[in-house]
Amino acid sequence: MENIKDSVEVALELDEKSVYSHIAHESAEDIIRIISSLDAERAKLRGEVIYYTDDWDALIRERMAKGKRHTAFDFYNPALLDIWEEKVKLGKKLKRLERLSYAVLGTVVGLTGLATVLMGTPFILLGLAILPLAVAVRDRVKSSLDLLYYELTQFFIDELRAIVTKHGLTPEKYKFKLFTGGYFGVETKRTPSGIFAVVEDKSGE
């Protein structure tokens, strides 16, 4: 026998759907800010001049501090927050290693220079010979950070696509700026206010 729901049950279901729709909307708005901010940092790392300011790190920490359980990184996919934390830690570690490498190389060059003055032997040539290592360190760290920002940005793009598809949101309402390329699941849209990116709806796949 078919279970017939009374009006209260139906109303409760509709309210729940409405609540989830609102949660999805707020989460999508958070994510588009994070995507643009991350990609802006990636572009700046490549030496581009970007006039975009929005502190994605502060946004996430603000949500955590307020205890909001309805944001994308702790409501839809708990792994989002863990992945973000790990990427941030890795980025800081890479920058610390870069600074340490420069300090070590500078110390070696300084010591060889001092030895040259004290002993009259051109040890400074040995110190100068290792200077190209500074360029190698810079390029390696830059490449690693670029990959880090790319992976994190792509992860949030994928999460936005999942939210838009699951809750039937209109992708065009959640357009965002991208400053670099190579991302999957996005398409470019031209609007009166400029060129923006939107995620592709996965429901048609």
Side-chain angles (χ1 to χ4, degrees):
M1 181 177 178
E2 184 179 355
N3 182 27
I4 300 176
K5 300 176 182 178
D6 61 30
S7 58
V8 174
E9 290 175 319
V10 173
L12 285 173
E13 286 188 0
L14 290 174
D15 286 344
E16 184 178 5
K17 289 179 182 178
S18 177
V19 168
Y20 273 77
S21 178
H22 177 68
I23 292 171
H25 166 72
E26 285 199 342
S27 297
E29 288 196 328
D30 280 354
I31 289 181
I32 60 176
R33 286 179 57 189
I34 294 170
I35 290 172
S36 292
S37 298
L38 284 170
D39 195 55
E41 290 299 320
R42 185 185 180 207
K44 291 175 184 176
L45 185 67
R46 294 182 168 193
E48 298 180 31
V49 179
I50 303 297
Y51 299 101
Y52 181 90
T53 55
D54 193 357
D55 195 336
W56 61 277
D57 186 84
L59 169 64
I60 294 180
R61 294 195 182 282
E62 174 190 327
R63 294 292 186 262
M64 291 168 60
K66 290 182 178 179
K68 288 190 174 182
R69 300 303 301 173
H70 61 271
T71 47
F73 40 82
D74 61 6
F75 186 91
Y76 290 97
N77 189 346
L80 269 173
L81 186 56
D82 294 333
I83 291 173
W84 168 73
E85 288 279 11
E86 287 303 314
K87 294 291 185 183
V88 170
K89 288 178 183 177
L90 177 58
K92 291 179 179 178
K93 181 180 179 181
L94 287 170
K95 290 178 180 178
R96 284 197 303 269
L97 289 174
E98 181 181 21
R99 290 193 295 268
L100 178 61
S101 298
Y102 293 154
V104 170
L105 290 173
T107 300
V108 171
V109 172
L111 289 175
T112 56
L114 180 61
T116 298
V117 173
L118 295 177
M119 304 178 67
T121 304
F123 291 112
I124 187 64
L125 296 178
L126 295 175
L128 295 176
I130 67 171
L131 283 181
L133 289 176
V135 178
V137 169
R138 182 201 63 190
D139 291 344
R140 181 63 182 272
V141 170
K142 186 177 180 180
S143 175
S144 297
L145 287 174
D146 182 79
L147 179 61
L148 184 151
Y149 279 117
Y150 170 80
E151 291 177 339
L152 199 51
T153 304
Q154 183 65 61
F155 193 87
F156 277 102
I157 287 173
D158 293 341
E159 191 67 16
L160 179 60
R161 288 186 72 199
I163 291 174
V164 165
T165 301
K166 181 178 180 180
H167 297 278
L169 303 179
T170 304
E172 286 73 15
K173 289 184 178 179
Y174 305 97
K175 58 183 182 294
F176 50 90
K177 278 281 190 181
L178 283 179
F179 307 94
T180 66
Y183 299 108
F184 297 97
V186 297
E187 55 182 305
T188 301
K189 296 285 185 179
R190 186 179 295 275
T191 69
S193 57
I195 299 176
F196 294 86
V198 297
V199 293
E200 298 171 348
D201 192 334
K202 295 195 293 185
S203 59
E205 294 181 356

